[in-house]
Amino acid sequence: MNSSIKPAYPKSIDIFCKVIDNYGDIGVCWRLARDLKTQSQATIRLWVDDLRSFGKIAPELDPMLNEQIVQGIHVRHWVNDQAFTEQPAEIVIEAFACDPPPDFVQAMKGNTRLWLNLEYLSAEPWVESFHAQPSLQPNGMVKLFFFPGFTAKTGGLLREEHLLSERDQWQNDRQAQEKFLAPFLNAQQLALWQQGAPIINLFCYPSAPVHELAQALVKANQPVLLLVPEGVAPSLEEEITRLEAVAPAPSPLHIIRLPFIDQRDYDRLLWLGSLNFIRGEDSFVRAIWAARPFIWQIYEQEENTHLIKLDAWLASSQTCPSVASIIRAWNNAAAPGSFTSLFQDIFFNPDKCAQWKQQTREYCQNLSENKTLSSSIFDIHYKMSQKV
Ligand SMILES: Cc1cn([C@H]2C[C@H](O)[C@@H](COP(=O)(O)OP(=O)(O)O[C@H]3O[C@@H](C)[C@H](O)[C@@H](O)[C@H]3O)O2)c(=O)[nH]c1=O
């Protein structure tokens, strides 16, 4: 064992994940599993009910296998709750209240020292007072509610130890960037990038006003490389063709469809973006660490409760009013049609863009001073073990 590893680290961790939809549930759990492993060298089992979705963001995974080790993590297909005879680990993390199998929960007593329910990310102020609060469970154990968040009084955000220095290195390495982009761009697009054409990454939900973005980009008549994962914004090409048909000249906008790529490569993609449209939870946090301007589309909830969360984050991050207006417009929380002009006003203005970039960098820097999510988990575990 590495001598720098603190004796307080646990020897084993179980993480349970149910994929509700999309890729955020497994995205968060997969990233967390790997980071906990790197920090502690514990044996980590990740129980997942949907290996197909998992496979999209971890191409090394074989969705046909019930058991496999991927990047040092024991990945187990959580097929059903019946006859669950595995011995629970020292730390059990259930993601987003997914309810581990009842037999497993019964067996936790005597084996498990810390049981956490990892909650969804929110910047709402009440999160601080709910973070790490205990709740007595029918098996006699205490489960803690673990809230990730943006302040020192929450569980923090997922951030690998050397992430920001790796990012800086990558952002200064044109050769590595070119090698990375080469499989995705044709020769003309690569040449445009070499001449300084900006990359915009677009990852959004179907409700985003993509047609307004298309309008802004076609009207601007400047070369832009718009990188879009397969299946996202499916009407985009059609929209552009329709707009170009009535434009005075074809626009120098290039839409580049990408396959889903490995989570670590997705980071690199965001590090290359002059602007990143991201969504949900995990890509949002990665866009913050990319320290590049980003436009977040929050995961939609009934009765627009997501807009309360969005405003809480805009307030907590002290996002400047012009950027906050664009983000609200992208989330359909502003007058229809307003996104186009707001976007054009800022994205094609070099001074405003530079300011936006500077603010994003400062925000990233400030947040990086908080404890990371993994360290917060280990701290709680350490405190619990001191009590025994
Ligand atoms: C496009 C792309 C994404 N990814 C990863 C990044 C993230 O880990 C993951 C996407 O997850 P997110 O950004 O969170 O967006 P998302 O919308 O996919 O996920 C979610 O949002 C949550 C708030 C909801 O509760 C979840 O139920 C879920 O909908 O996919 C890749 O690894 N490669 C890719 O090519």
Side-chain angles (χ1 to χ4, degrees):
M1 193 195 257
N2 183 334
S3 59
S4 66
I5 293 169
K6 283 201 279 175
Y9 281 132
K11 295 211 167 26
S12 58
I13 304 177
D14 276 311
I15 303 176
F16 284 86
C17 174
K18 273 190 186 152
V19 176
I20 306 298
D21 60 4
N22 305 327
Y23 307 100
D25 307 286
I26 184 58
V28 167
C29 293
W30 177 225
R31 200 181 292 290
L32 176 63
R34 285 178 295 143
D35 195 39
L36 292 171
K37 173 81 189 173
T38 308
Q39 289 202 34
S40 67
Q41 297 307 320
T43 300
I44 304 201
R45 286 184 301 199
L46 174 55
W47 302 89
V48 187
D49 68 340
D50 174 358
L51 294 182
R52 294 217 165 270
S53 301
F54 191 178
K56 290 274 265 186
I57 60 167
E60 298 148 74
L61 184 104
D62 182 346
M64 302 308 286
L65 293 180
N66 280 343
E67 288 188 36
Q68 59 200 298
I69 298 178
V70 185
Q71 294 179 34
I73 307 297
H74 295 250
V75 176
R76 307 285 286 265
H77 193 189
W78 180 6
V79 186
N80 63 42
D81 286 357
Q82 305 308 312
F84 214 91
T85 55
E86 305 285 343
Q87 180 175 317
E90 211 176 317
I91 298 184
V92 173
I93 301 172
E94 61 170 288
F96 318 120
C98 69
D99 285 333
D103 292 346
F104 183 89
V105 169
Q106 276 312 320
M108 276 164 65
K109 222 170 165 195
N111 286 306
T112 299
R113 196 171 269 172
L114 174 62
W115 180 7
L116 293 176
N117 179 40
L118 175 65
E119 301 281 349
Y120 285 114
L121 176 64
S122 170
E124 290 165 289
W126 58 263
V127 161
E128 286 188 346
S129 49
F130 279 74
H131 173 58
Q133 286 301 308
S135 143
L136 187 61
Q137 299 299 301
N139 69 350
M141 286 186 69
V142 163
K143 173 156 75 173
L144 299 187
F145 294 100
F146 186 98
F147 282 87
F150 301 87
T151 68
K153 290 184 181 161
T154 67
L157 299 171
L158 264 170
R159 177 172 49 79
E160 299 78 1
E161 201 181 351
H162 303 295
L163 183 74
L164 302 194
S165 53
E166 276 170 29
R167 177 208 63 197
D168 287 342
Q169 210 181 343
W170 168 260
Q171 286 179 338
N172 289 317
D173 187 345
R174 287 292 279 189
Q175 233 179 340
Q177 294 171 13
E178 191 171 327
K179 202 167 154 208
F180 176 82
L181 283 172
F184 305 124
L185 307 188
N186 64 30
Q188 187 203 0
Q189 293 160 345
L190 204 56
L192 278 173
W193 174 75
Q194 282 157 344
Q195 291 152 23
I199 285 180
I200 299 182
N201 284 301
L202 176 63
F203 185 40
C204 60
Y205 295 116
S207 59
V210 164
H211 56 287
E212 294 184 36
L213 172 67
Q215 256 170 6
L217 293 174
V218 169
K219 268 195 207 164
N221 204 27
Q222 291 184 28
V224 168
L225 303 169
L226 184 61
L227 274 51
V228 196
E230 60 192 16
V232 170
S235 62
L236 189 63
E237 284 84 350
E238 214 176 287
E239 195 73 46
I240 301 286
T241 310
R242 204 174 52 75
L243 290 166
E244 282 186 339
V246 291
S251 92
L253 168 67
H254 290 256
I255 300 174
I256 297 131
R257 288 282 172 185
L258 302 181
F260 262 67
I261 51 178
D262 175 271
Q263 246 186 359
R264 290 164 303 186
D265 281 342
Y266 189 65
D267 272 343
R268 296 191 181 104
L269 200 63
L270 296 179
W271 297 346
L272 280 176
S274 293
L275 174 64
N276 293 316
F277 286 82
I278 37 61
R279 72 184 202 190
E281 180 165 326
D282 191 57
S283 58
F284 168 44
V285 175
R286 305 318 278 185
I288 294 174
W289 301 138
R292 292 287 168 95
F294 61 85
I295 295 182
W296 177 36
Q297 186 176 19
I298 191 166
Y299 183 72
E300 280 171 32
Q301 289 175 298
E302 278 171 20
E303 295 174 14
N304 280 342
T305 43
H306 60 288
L307 295 183
I308 298 171
K309 286 190 183 169
L310 176 66
D311 285 338
W313 176 73
L314 289 170
S316 84
S317 58
Q318 298 182 333
T319 299
C320 73
S322 55
V323 173
S325 301
I326 293 189
I327 294 180
R328 294 195 96 254
W330 188 245
N331 283 277
N332 300 306
S338 55
F339 180 82
T340 307
S341 54
L342 288 166
F343 180 82
Q344 273 187 311
D345 179 51
I346 189 164
F347 188 70
F348 293 104
N349 178 322
D351 289 343
K352 288 186 185 171
C353 250
Q355 229 178 337
W356 191 2
K357 195 169 169 185
Q358 179 59 22
Q359 285 161 356
T360 322
R361 204 164 176 92
E362 281 166 17
Y363 182 54
C364 167
Q365 193 53 42
N366 291 342
L367 286 183
S368 71
E369 279 153 28
N370 290 343
K371 223 183 274 174
T372 68
L373 203 148
S374 302
S375 321
S376 303
I377 292 176
F378 289 133
D379 280 1
I380 297 177
H381 172 260
Y382 181 67
K383 280 184 201 142
M384 304 276 278
S385 53
Q386 296 297 92
K387 279 187 198 159
V388 178

